[in-house]
PDB file of all heavy atoms in Angstrom:
ATOM      1  N   VAL A 572       0.859  -1.184   0.000  1.00 72.00           N
ATOM      2  CA  VAL A 572       0.000   0.000   0.000  1.00 72.00           C
ATOM      3  C   VAL A 572       0.895   1.233   0.000  1.00 72.00           C
ATOM      4  O   VAL A 572       1.806   1.339   0.827  1.00 72.00           O
ATOM      5  CB  VAL A 572      -0.918   0.018   1.233  1.00 72.00           C
ATOM      6  CG1 VAL A 572      -1.739   1.303   1.277  1.00 72.00           C
ATOM      7  CG2 VAL A 572      -1.840  -1.187   1.218  1.00 72.00           C
ATOM      8  N   PRO A 573       0.663   2.185  -0.893  1.00 70.00           N
ATOM      9  CA  PRO A 573       1.495   3.394  -0.893  1.00 70.00           C
ATOM     10  C   PRO A 573       1.360   4.170   0.408  1.00 70.00           C
ATOM     11  O   PRO A 573       0.257   4.324   0.936  1.00 70.00           O
ATOM     12  CB  PRO A 573       0.954   4.207  -2.079  1.00 70.00           C
ATOM     13  CG  PRO A 573      -0.418   3.676  -2.325  1.00 70.00           C
ATOM     14  CD  PRO A 573      -0.379   2.226  -1.946  1.00 70.00           C
ATOM     15  N   ALA A 574       2.502   4.643   0.924  1.00 62.00           N
ATOM     16  CA  ALA A 574       2.483   5.382   2.184  1.00 62.00           C
ATOM     17  C   ALA A 574       1.649   6.652   2.087  1.00 62.00           C
ATOM     18  O   ALA A 574       1.125   7.143   3.089  1.00 62.00           O
ATOM     19  CB  ALA A 574       3.913   5.731   2.610  1.00 62.00           C
ATOM     20  N   SER A 575       1.492   7.163   0.879  1.00 63.00           N
ATOM     21  CA  SER A 575       0.686   8.368   0.698  1.00 63.00           C
ATOM     22  C   SER A 575      -0.783   8.130   1.042  1.00 63.00           C
ATOM     23  O   SER A 575      -1.542   9.072   1.265  1.00 63.00           O
ATOM     24  CB  SER A 575       0.786   8.858  -0.751  1.00 63.00           C
ATOM     25  OG  SER A 575       0.361   7.847  -1.653  1.00 63.00           O
ATOM     26  N   GLY A 576      -1.190   6.855   1.127  1.00 68.00           N
ATOM     27  CA  GLY A 576      -2.560   6.552   1.502  1.00 68.00           C
ATOM     28  C   GLY A 576      -2.912   6.994   2.904  1.00 68.00           C
ATOM     29  O   GLY A 576      -4.086   7.155   3.251  1.00 68.00           O
ATOM     30  N   ILE A 577      -1.879   7.216   3.718  1.00 70.00           N
ATOM     31  CA  ILE A 577      -2.110   7.689   5.081  1.00 70.00           C
ATOM     32  C   ILE A 577      -2.803   9.045   5.065  1.00 70.00           C
ATOM     33  O   ILE A 577      -3.513   9.407   6.006  1.00 70.00           O
ATOM     34  CB  ILE A 577      -0.776   7.764   5.852  1.00 70.00           C
ATOM     35  CG1 ILE A 577      -0.235   6.351   6.066  1.00 70.00           C
ATOM     36  CG2 ILE A 577      -0.931   8.461   7.180  1.00 70.00           C
ATOM     37  CD1 ILE A 577       1.064   6.299   6.796  1.00 70.00           C
ATOM     38  N   ALA A 578      -2.615   9.789   3.978  1.00 66.00           N
ATOM     39  CA  ALA A 578      -3.253  11.108   3.880  1.00 66.00           C
ATOM     40  C   ALA A 578      -4.761  11.012   4.034  1.00 66.00           C
ATOM     41  O   ALA A 578      -5.413  11.951   4.501  1.00 66.00           O
ATOM     42  CB  ALA A 578      -2.903  11.752   2.535  1.00 66.00           C
ATOM     43  N   LEU A 579      -5.323   9.857   3.678  1.00 71.00           N
ATOM     44  CA  LEU A 579      -6.778   9.682   3.747  1.00 71.00           C
ATOM     45  C   LEU A 579      -7.266   9.605   5.188  1.00 71.00           C
ATOM     46  O   LEU A 579      -8.385  10.027   5.481  1.00 71.00           O
ATOM     47  CB  LEU A 579      -7.176   8.411   2.989  1.00 71.00           C
ATOM     48  CG  LEU A 579      -8.675   8.116   2.871  1.00 71.00           C
ATOM     49  CD1 LEU A 579      -9.364   9.217   2.064  1.00 71.00           C
ATOM     50  CD2 LEU A 579      -8.899   6.759   2.221  1.00 71.00           C
ATOM     51  N   ILE A 580      -6.449   9.079   6.077  1.00 75.00           N
ATOM     52  CA  ILE A 580      -6.909   8.871   7.449  1.00 75.00           C
ATOM     53  C   ILE A 580      -6.307   9.850   8.449  1.00 75.00           C
ATOM     54  O   ILE A 580      -6.644   9.804   9.635  1.00 75.00           O
ATOM     55  CB  ILE A 580      -6.603   7.427   7.911  1.00 75.00           C
ATOM     56  CG1 ILE A 580      -5.093   7.166   7.890  1.00 75.00           C
ATOM     57  CG2 ILE A 580      -7.327   6.421   7.046  1.00 75.00           C
ATOM     58  CD1 ILE A 580      -4.722   5.805   8.409  1.00 75.00           C
ATOM     59  N   ILE A 581      -5.430  10.736   7.970  1.00 69.00           N
ATOM     60  CA  ILE A 581      -4.812  11.692   8.889  1.00 69.00           C
ATOM     61  C   ILE A 581      -5.865  12.590   9.542  1.00 69.00           C
ATOM     62  O   ILE A 581      -5.771  12.925  10.728  1.00 69.00           O
ATOM     63  CB  ILE A 581      -3.753  12.545   8.150  1.00 69.00           C
ATOM     64  CG1 ILE A 581      -2.462  11.739   7.962  1.00 69.00           C
ATOM     65  CG2 ILE A 581      -3.455  13.822   8.922  1.00 69.00           C
ATOM     66  CD1 ILE A 581      -1.377  12.488   7.238  1.00 69.00           C
ATOM     67  N   GLY A 582      -6.879  12.969   8.794  1.00 64.00           N
ATOM     68  CA  GLY A 582      -7.875  13.898   9.314  1.00 64.00           C
ATOM     69  C   GLY A 582      -8.614  13.397  10.537  1.00 64.00           C
ATOM     70  O   GLY A 582      -8.981  14.187  11.411  1.00 64.00           O
ATOM     71  N   VAL A 583      -8.828  12.078  10.614  1.00 72.00           N
ATOM     72  CA  VAL A 583      -9.574  11.526  11.749  1.00 72.00           C
ATOM     73  C   VAL A 583      -8.662  10.773  12.709  1.00 72.00           C
ATOM     74  O   VAL A 583      -9.147  10.158  13.674  1.00 72.00           O
ATOM     75  CB  VAL A 583     -10.684  10.576  11.249  1.00 72.00           C
ATOM     76  CG1 VAL A 583     -11.701  11.342  10.428  1.00 72.00           C
ATOM     77  CG2 VAL A 583     -10.102   9.423  10.426  1.00 72.00           C
ATOM     78  N   ASP A 584      -7.358  10.819  12.486  1.00 74.00           N
ATOM     79  CA  ASP A 584      -6.446  10.030  13.312  1.00 74.00           C
ATOM     80  C   ASP A 584      -6.459  10.481  14.762  1.00 74.00           C
ATOM     81  O   ASP A 584      -6.398   9.661  15.673  1.00 74.00           O
ATOM     82  CB  ASP A 584      -5.023  10.108  12.754  1.00 74.00           C
ATOM     83  CG  ASP A 584      -4.034   9.348  13.624  1.00 74.00           C
ATOM     84  OD1 ASP A 584      -4.110   8.105  13.648  1.00 74.00           O
ATOM     85  OD2 ASP A 584      -3.211   9.995  14.298  1.00 74.00           O
ATOM     86  N   ARG A 585      -6.534  11.788  15.006  1.00 73.00           N
ATOM     87  CA  ARG A 585      -6.435  12.258  16.396  1.00 73.00           C
ATOM     88  C   ARG A 585      -7.621  11.772  17.231  1.00 73.00           C
ATOM     89  O   ARG A 585      -7.461  11.399  18.398  1.00 73.00           O
ATOM     90  CB  ARG A 585      -6.342  13.785  16.440  1.00 73.00           C
ATOM     91  CG  ARG A 585      -6.027  14.343  17.835  1.00 73.00           C
ATOM     92  CD  ARG A 585      -4.702  13.781  18.341  1.00 73.00           C
ATOM     93  NE  ARG A 585      -4.481  14.062  19.740  1.00 73.00           N
ATOM     94  CZ  ARG A 585      -3.915  15.178  20.197  1.00 73.00           C
ATOM     95  NH1 ARG A 585      -3.532  16.112  19.354  1.00 73.00           N
ATOM     96  NH2 ARG A 585      -3.740  15.355  21.480  1.00 73.00           N
ATOM     97  N   ILE A 586      -8.816  11.778  16.651  1.00 77.00           N
ATOM     98  CA  ILE A 586      -9.973  11.280  17.374  1.00 77.00           C
ATOM     99  C   ILE A 586      -9.788   9.808  17.725  1.00 77.00           C
ATOM    100  O   ILE A 586     -10.070   9.370  18.857  1.00 77.00           O
ATOM    101  CB  ILE A 586     -11.255  11.462  16.534  1.00 77.00           C
ATOM    102  CG1 ILE A 586     -11.509  12.952  16.264  1.00 77.00           C
ATOM    103  CG2 ILE A 586     -12.444  10.825  17.227  1.00 77.00           C
ATOM    104  CD1 ILE A 586     -11.815  13.753  17.499  1.00 77.00           C
ATOM    105  N   LEU A 587      -9.305   9.025  16.772  1.00 84.00           N
ATOM    106  CA  LEU A 587      -9.074   7.601  17.024  1.00 84.00           C
ATOM    107  C   LEU A 587      -7.891   7.395  17.962  1.00 84.00           C
ATOM    108  O   LEU A 587      -7.873   6.433  18.741  1.00 84.00           O
ATOM    109  CB  LEU A 587      -8.838   6.866  15.706  1.00 84.00           C
ATOM    110  CG  LEU A 587     -10.014   6.890  14.720  1.00 84.00           C
ATOM    111  CD1 LEU A 587      -9.654   6.148  13.437  1.00 84.00           C
ATOM    112  CD2 LEU A 587     -11.250   6.278  15.352  1.00 84.00           C
ATOM    113  N   ASP A 588      -6.903   8.284  17.898  1.00 82.00           N
ATOM    114  CA  ASP A 588      -5.760   8.227  18.798  1.00 82.00           C
ATOM    115  C   ASP A 588      -6.230   8.358  20.242  1.00 82.00           C
ATOM    116  O   ASP A 588      -5.784   7.634  21.137  1.00 82.00           O
ATOM    117  CB  ASP A 588      -4.773   9.353  18.447  1.00 82.00           C
ATOM    118  CG  ASP A 588      -3.415   9.147  19.104  1.00 82.00           C
ATOM    119  OD1 ASP A 588      -3.231   8.121  19.784  1.00 82.00           O
ATOM    120  OD2 ASP A 588      -2.546  10.024  18.942  1.00 82.00           O
ATOM    121  N   MET A 589      -7.137   9.282  20.479  1.00 83.00           N
ATOM    122  CA  MET A 589      -7.679   9.481  21.814  1.00 83.00           C
ATOM    123  C   MET A 589      -8.413   8.232  22.296  1.00 83.00           C
ATOM    124  O   MET A 589      -8.250   7.810  23.451  1.00 83.00           O
ATOM    125  CB  MET A 589      -8.630  10.684  21.803  1.00 83.00           C
ATOM    126  CG  MET A 589      -7.940  11.992  21.438  1.00 83.00           C
ATOM    127  SD  MET A 589      -9.087  13.254  20.851  1.00 83.00           S
ATOM    128  CE  MET A 589     -10.003  13.603  22.351  1.00 83.00           C
ATOM    129  N   SER A 590      -9.180   7.627  21.407  1.00 88.00           N
ATOM    130  CA  SER A 590      -9.978   6.453  21.787  1.00 88.00           C
ATOM    131  C   SER A 590      -9.090   5.249  22.082  1.00 88.00           C
ATOM    132  O   SER A 590      -9.295   4.537  23.075  1.00 88.00           O
ATOM    133  CB  SER A 590     -10.960   6.118  20.663  1.00 88.00           C
ATOM    134  OG  SER A 590     -11.804   7.211  20.375  1.00 88.00           O
ATOM    135  N   ARG A 591      -8.096   5.008  21.218  1.00 89.00           N
ATOM    136  CA  ARG A 591      -7.260   3.829  21.433  1.00 89.00           C
ATOM    137  C   ARG A 591      -6.361   3.995  22.663  1.00 89.00           C
ATOM    138  O   ARG A 591      -6.013   3.001  23.305  1.00 89.00           O
ATOM    139  CB  ARG A 591      -6.430   3.525  20.191  1.00 89.00           C
ATOM    140  CG  ARG A 591      -5.445   4.588  19.768  1.00 89.00           C
ATOM    141  CD  ARG A 591      -4.737   4.174  18.474  1.00 89.00           C
ATOM    142  NE  ARG A 591      -3.776   5.155  18.012  1.00 89.00           N
ATOM    143  CZ  ARG A 591      -3.964   5.978  16.991  1.00 89.00           C
ATOM    144  NH1 ARG A 591      -5.110   5.941  16.330  1.00 89.00           N
ATOM    145  NH2 ARG A 591      -3.029   6.835  16.614  1.00 89.00           N
ATOM    146  N   THR A 592      -5.998   5.231  23.010  1.00 88.00           N
ATOM    147  CA  THR A 592      -5.193   5.452  24.209  1.00 88.00           C
ATOM    148  C   THR A 592      -5.988   5.098  25.457  1.00 88.00           C
ATOM    149  O   THR A 592      -5.446   4.525  26.410  1.00 88.00           O
ATOM    150  CB  THR A 592      -4.720   6.907  24.286  1.00 88.00           C
ATOM    151  OG1 THR A 592      -3.990   7.240  23.107  1.00 88.00           O
ATOM    152  CG2 THR A 592      -3.815   7.120  25.493  1.00 88.00           C
ATOM    153  N   ALA A 593      -7.269   5.428  25.471  1.00 91.00           N
ATOM    154  CA  ALA A 593      -8.129   5.071  26.600  1.00 91.00           C
ATOM    155  C   ALA A 593      -8.184   3.557  26.780  1.00 91.00           C
ATOM    156  O   ALA A 593      -8.182   3.039  27.908  1.00 91.00           O
ATOM    157  CB  ALA A 593      -9.529   5.641  26.400  1.00 91.00           C
ATOM    158  N   ILE A 594      -8.212   2.827  25.661  1.00 93.00           N
ATOM    159  CA  ILE A 594      -8.223   1.363  25.738  1.00 93.00           C
ATOM    160  C   ILE A 594      -6.856   0.838  26.168  1.00 93.00           C
ATOM    161  O   ILE A 594      -6.761  -0.151  26.912  1.00 93.00           O
ATOM    162  CB  ILE A 594      -8.628   0.763  24.379  1.00 93.00           C
ATOM    163  CG1 ILE A 594     -10.026   1.228  23.993  1.00 93.00           C
ATOM    164  CG2 ILE A 594      -8.562  -0.756  24.423  1.00 93.00           C
ATOM    165  CD1 ILE A 594     -11.105   0.846  24.978  1.00 93.00           C
ATOM    166  N   ASN A 595      -5.786   1.483  25.721  1.00 91.00           N
ATOM    167  CA  ASN A 595      -4.439   1.060  26.118  1.00 91.00           C
ATOM    168  C   ASN A 595      -4.278   1.074  27.637  1.00 91.00           C
ATOM    169  O   ASN A 595      -3.775   0.113  28.231  1.00 91.00           O
ATOM    170  CB  ASN A 595      -3.381   1.971  25.482  1.00 91.00           C
ATOM    171  CG  ASN A 595      -3.188   1.699  24.000  1.00 91.00           C
ATOM    172  OD1 ASN A 595      -3.556   0.645  23.496  1.00 91.00           O
ATOM    173  ND2 ASN A 595      -2.605   2.652  23.297  1.00 91.00           N
ATOM    174  N   VAL A 596      -4.680   2.171  28.280  1.00 92.00           N
ATOM    175  CA  VAL A 596      -4.503   2.279  29.735  1.00 92.00           C
ATOM    176  C   VAL A 596      -5.451   1.323  30.461  1.00 92.00           C
ATOM    177  O   VAL A 596      -5.116   0.829  31.544  1.00 92.00           O
ATOM    178  CB  VAL A 596      -4.700   3.728  30.216  1.00 92.00           C
ATOM    179  CG1 VAL A 596      -3.673   4.650  29.580  1.00 92.00           C
ATOM    180  CG2 VAL A 596      -6.104   4.233  29.946  1.00 92.00           C
ATOM    181  N   THR A 597      -6.616   1.060  29.873  1.00 94.00           N
ATOM    182  CA  THR A 597      -7.516   0.070  30.466  1.00 94.00           C
ATOM    183  C   THR A 597      -6.871  -1.305  30.445  1.00 94.00           C
ATOM    184  O   THR A 597      -7.002  -2.084  31.399  1.00 94.00           O
ATOM    185  CB  THR A 597      -8.857   0.031  29.702  1.00 94.00           C
ATOM    186  OG1 THR A 597      -9.420   1.337  29.646  1.00 94.00           O
ATOM    187  CG2 THR A 597      -9.844  -0.899  30.393  1.00 94.00           C
ATOM    188  N   GLY A 598      -6.148  -1.607  29.362  1.00 93.00           N
ATOM    189  CA  GLY A 598      -5.426  -2.867  29.284  1.00 93.00           C
ATOM    190  C   GLY A 598      -4.344  -2.986  30.343  1.00 93.00           C
ATOM    191  O   GLY A 598      -4.125  -4.069  30.907  1.00 93.00           O
ATOM    192  N   ASP A 599      -3.651  -1.874  30.634  1.00 92.00           N
ATOM    193  CA  ASP A 599      -2.625  -1.886  31.678  1.00 92.00           C
ATOM    194  C   ASP A 599      -3.240  -2.178  33.047  1.00 92.00           C
ATOM    195  O   ASP A 599      -2.697  -2.963  33.834  1.00 92.00           O
ATOM    196  CB  ASP A 599      -1.891  -0.544  31.712  1.00 92.00           C
ATOM    197  CG  ASP A 599      -1.128  -0.259  30.435  1.00 92.00           C
ATOM    198  OD1 ASP A 599      -0.856  -1.218  29.678  1.00 92.00           O
ATOM    199  OD2 ASP A 599      -0.819   0.922  30.176  1.00 92.00           O
ATOM    200  N   LEU A 600      -4.373  -1.530  33.342  1.00 94.00           N
ATOM    201  CA  LEU A 600      -5.034  -1.746  34.630  1.00 94.00           C
ATOM    202  C   LEU A 600      -5.602  -3.156  34.726  1.00 94.00           C
ATOM    203  O   LEU A 600      -5.592  -3.770  35.801  1.00 94.00           O
ATOM    204  CB  LEU A 600      -6.141  -0.708  34.825  1.00 94.00           C
ATOM    205  CG  LEU A 600      -5.648   0.735  34.984  1.00 94.00           C
ATOM    206  CD1 LEU A 600      -6.817   1.711  35.006  1.00 94.00           C
ATOM    207  CD2 LEU A 600      -4.835   0.884  36.272  1.00 94.00           C
ATOM    208  N   THR A 601      -6.085  -3.690  33.602  1.00 95.00           N
ATOM    209  CA  THR A 601      -6.557  -5.077  33.586  1.00 95.00           C
ATOM    210  C   THR A 601      -5.418  -6.030  33.892  1.00 95.00           C
ATOM    211  O   THR A 601      -5.580  -6.991  34.658  1.00 95.00           O
ATOM    212  CB  THR A 601      -7.165  -5.416  32.210  1.00 95.00           C
ATOM    213  OG1 THR A 601      -8.246  -4.528  31.932  1.00 95.00           O
ATOM    214  CG2 THR A 601      -7.665  -6.846  32.174  1.00 95.00           C
ATOM    215  N   ALA A 602      -4.252  -5.768  33.317  1.00 93.00           N
ATOM    216  CA  ALA A 602      -3.082  -6.605  33.572  1.00 93.00           C
ATOM    217  C   ALA A 602      -2.697  -6.570  35.050  1.00 93.00           C
ATOM    218  O   ALA A 602      -2.311  -7.600  35.627  1.00 93.00           O
ATOM    219  CB  ALA A 602      -1.906  -6.145  32.707  1.00 93.00           C
ATOM    220  N   CYS A 603      -2.796  -5.399  35.669  1.00 92.00           N
ATOM    221  CA  CYS A 603      -2.498  -5.283  37.107  1.00 92.00           C
ATOM    222  C   CYS A 603      -3.415  -6.177  37.927  1.00 92.00           C
ATOM    223  O   CYS A 603      -2.971  -6.907  38.826  1.00 92.00           O
ATOM    224  CB  CYS A 603      -2.653  -3.833  37.560  1.00 92.00           C
ATOM    225  SG  CYS A 603      -1.362  -2.716  36.997  1.00 92.00           S
ATOM    226  N   VAL A 604      -4.711  -6.124  37.632  1.00 92.00           N
ATOM    227  CA  VAL A 604      -5.684  -6.925  38.369  1.00 92.00           C
ATOM    228  C   VAL A 604      -5.432  -8.419  38.158  1.00 92.00           C
ATOM    229  O   VAL A 604      -5.447  -9.213  39.106  1.00 92.00           O
ATOM    230  CB  VAL A 604      -7.118  -6.554  37.942  1.00 92.00           C
ATOM    231  CG1 VAL A 604      -8.130  -7.494  38.579  1.00 92.00           C
ATOM    232  CG2 VAL A 604      -7.431  -5.115  38.327  1.00 92.00           C
TER     233      VAL A 604
END
């Protein structure tokens, strides 16, 4: 896949970045438990 294809998803990446980070930290806390 051409790397230039990332241009298509850059616009919504920050919103998804926020969502996946919330899941990342939930995974860390799950691992602790």
Side-chain angles (χ1 to χ4, degrees):
V572 176
S575 58
I577 293 180
L579 184 63
I580 61 176
I581 282 179
V583 296
D584 177 69
R585 189 59 191 273
I586 298 295
L587 298 179
D588 194 2
M589 298 159 68
S590 302
R591 62 183 180 255
T592 303
I594 299 300
N595 285 341
V596 299
T597 306
D599 296 341
L600 293 173
T601 301
C603 288
V604 173

